[in-house]
Amino acid sequence: MIYWKIFVAFFIPGVLGYGGGPASIPLVEDQVIDHYGWMDAEKFAEVLAIGNALPGPIATKLAGYIGYQQGGILGAVVGVFATVAPSLILMIFLLGMLYRFKDSPKVKQMTNFIRPAIAVLLGVIAFQFFVESYHGAGWLQTLILTAASFFFLEKLKVHPAIVIAGALGYGAIFLAA
Amino acid sequence: MKQQRQLFFAFFRVGIFGYGGGPASIPLVHKEVVENYKWLDDRDFNDLLALANTLPGPIATKMAGYIGHRVAGVTGMINAVLATILPSIFIMVVLLSSLAAVKDKPWVQGMTDAVMPVVGVMLAVLTWSFFRRSKEGLGLWKSLMFVAGSFVLIKVLPSPAILILALLLIGLLKPVRKDNADAVGAEREESV
């Protein structure tokens, strides 16, 4: 039963992948290549590269594409559902509990304690993006793009979508080395 | 109906402008949900992001699903998740053959490179706002200590979720001290 296999293949990365979609990529790879043998490593790397060139969350793009390849449209639906649903349902349940007690000093203390850790997590991801940009576009372009996007986003308060579209255009013209 | 439409467009924009996977779209979600439509205030958004990080699975869809659910029930949840993921899955499935030919083109590579620092800036700004808020709650020195400790532990531990779960447990079990409670109270008044 192919749909059941697709479900299991994406359910496991969905419930074990801590740290967002990118963290679950190795788990998807393990299921798709080693466990079910749906594609070889080379093909997976290609799908991943294309997925990374497109916008949107990576885990659902992989689930949608691979699910579609193995089981058509229903396969894509099953793959995406298995990726998204388990953790989302858990989250709605847990946040419901949290908001019921949101004015208790305990909950406030918990919030206070995790805030610095979340700041660090976000800071680390931000740093990775700058490193990647340095490797891809060099330090000068990275500096120009960083300064320009900070100016447009924070000083002029331009909507991020417009700044991103602008950067895409800039890259297509000036970074096409 | 108006809410469903707003949800759809908010998360559609998140989905098609979030380059670099789910975590890169966090600042976009913040922009739409807190600044644009004001469905959540900063404090609720922080709690949501913190909890989303402790749970497994993709972060973008967890945020979309929860916010959709809170704004407009189960329909809102389904609507927001689909708006986040469908556009890119659709492009991926439909265009895969032509994309394979196009992905090595220099201009595609240039686009991907140029968008990285923009995402970096958005994430850095969000990082700063989290630090500022934690300074309001814990004070400067305590925040810096927490940041330094978290940084080391995140590097050492196999998963950051362990650290966040541990911090949540400590926050739950540690008795609330008077000065702590005052600081929390002050921060709360400020956020109201």
Side-chain angles (χ1 to χ4, degrees):
Chain A
M1 181 66 180
I2 187 66
Y3 300 119
W4 175 245
K5 285 182 184 167
I6 294 172
F7 180 83
V8 173
F10 289 100
F11 178 79
I12 291 171
V15 292
L16 294 182
Y18 278 92
S24 64
I25 291 172
L27 297 166
V28 174
E29 191 173 6
D30 179 63
Q31 291 291 314
V32 168
I33 299 174
D34 298 334
H35 195 77
Y36 290 109
W38 286 331
M39 49 179 71
D40 58 22
E42 201 180 322
K43 175 75 182 157
F44 185 82
E46 193 184 301
V47 172
L48 187 60
I50 293 168
N52 271 322
L54 292 172
I58 184 78
T60 48
K61 267 182 291 188
L62 288 177
Y65 176 71
I66 296 168
Y68 178 77
Q69 227 193 15
Q70 297 304 319
I73 289 178
L74 189 57
V77 172
V78 170
V80 171
F81 179 80
T83 306
V84 171
S87 57
L88 177 57
I89 290 166
L90 195 63
M91 169 129 152
I92 289 176
F93 173 72
L94 286 176
L95 272 168
M97 303 256 293
L98 192 71
Y99 280 114
R100 266 177 53 200
F101 301 107
K102 78 183 267 189
D103 290 324
S104 89
K106 287 276 184 190
V107 170
K108 281 180 214 157
Q109 177 167 275
M110 287 161 77
T111 314
N112 268 343
F113 279 10
I114 42 179
R115 229 174 243 154
I118 302 294
V120 172
L121 275 178
L122 287 169
V124 168
I125 306 173
F127 181 72
Q128 285 164 356
F129 272 90
F130 288 121
V131 169
E132 206 155 312
S133 158
Y134 167 75
H135 287 307
W139 67 268
L140 184 62
Q141 290 290 355
T142 302
L143 201 66
I144 293 171
L145 283 159
T146 302
S149 50
F150 183 79
F151 178 72
F152 284 115
L153 288 167
E154 290 304 307
K155 298 296 163 205
L156 298 185
K157 298 282 175 196
V158 176
H159 194 282
I162 297 169
V163 180
I164 289 172
L168 290 173
Y170 179 89
I173 298 165
F174 296 108
L175 295 184
Chain B
M1 201 55 220
K2 181 170 163 248
Q3 258 171 348
Q4 298 291 355
R5 204 178 57 231
Q6 287 178 338
L7 271 174
F8 181 84
F9 282 113
F11 285 101
F12 182 81
R13 282 193 291 265
V14 169
I16 59 168
F17 289 108
Y19 278 87
S25 62
I26 293 170
L28 290 167
V29 176
H30 180 264
K31 180 91 190 168
E32 297 290 349
V33 168
V34 178
E35 292 174 36
N36 212 356
Y37 292 108
K38 303 192 169 55
W39 288 318
L40 269 67
D41 62 17
D42 245 329
R43 186 187 142 88
D44 284 355
F45 186 84
N46 283 356
D47 293 351
L48 168 61
L49 183 56
L51 196 68
N53 262 308
T54 63
L55 295 175
I59 186 100
T61 48
K62 263 181 296 186
M63 307 275 285
Y66 176 74
I67 293 162
H69 184 262
R70 201 168 126 146
V71 173
V74 174
T75 322
M77 174 183 94
I78 295 167
N79 184 6
V81 170
L82 290 182
T84 312
I85 62 175
L86 274 190
S88 56
I89 295 176
F90 182 76
I91 301 172
M92 182 123 178
V93 169
V94 171
L95 298 182
L96 201 89
S97 48
S98 47
L99 274 167
V102 126
K103 84 173 159 54
D104 293 324
K105 289 267 191 292
W107 60 271
V108 173
Q109 195 54 50
M111 285 166 78
T112 314
D113 288 343
V115 100
M116 293 293 166
V118 183
V119 177
V121 167
M122 290 192 297
L123 283 164
V125 168
L126 203 60
T127 306
W128 175 241
S129 85
F130 261 82
F131 181 71
R132 229 176 35 220
R133 295 192 69 79
S134 88
K135 211 173 63 184
E136 285 162 11
L138 292 169
L140 176 63
W141 290 110
K142 233 175 168 182
S143 299
L144 283 176
M145 273 163 54
F146 266 80
V147 165
S150 302
F151 184 76
V152 172
L153 287 170
I154 283 169
K155 290 284 165 205
V156 174
L157 293 171
S159 155
I162 298 173
L163 170 67
I164 294 176
L165 279 177
L167 286 170
L168 284 173
L169 266 181
I170 297 169
L172 183 68
L173 299 177
K174 188 171 172 288
V176 180
R177 284 214 322 268
K178 182 80 180 65
D179 59 324
N180 254 359
D182 283 350
V184 173
E187 177 233 14
R188 181 145 176 77
E189 273 163 38
E190 184 270 339
S191 72
V192 167

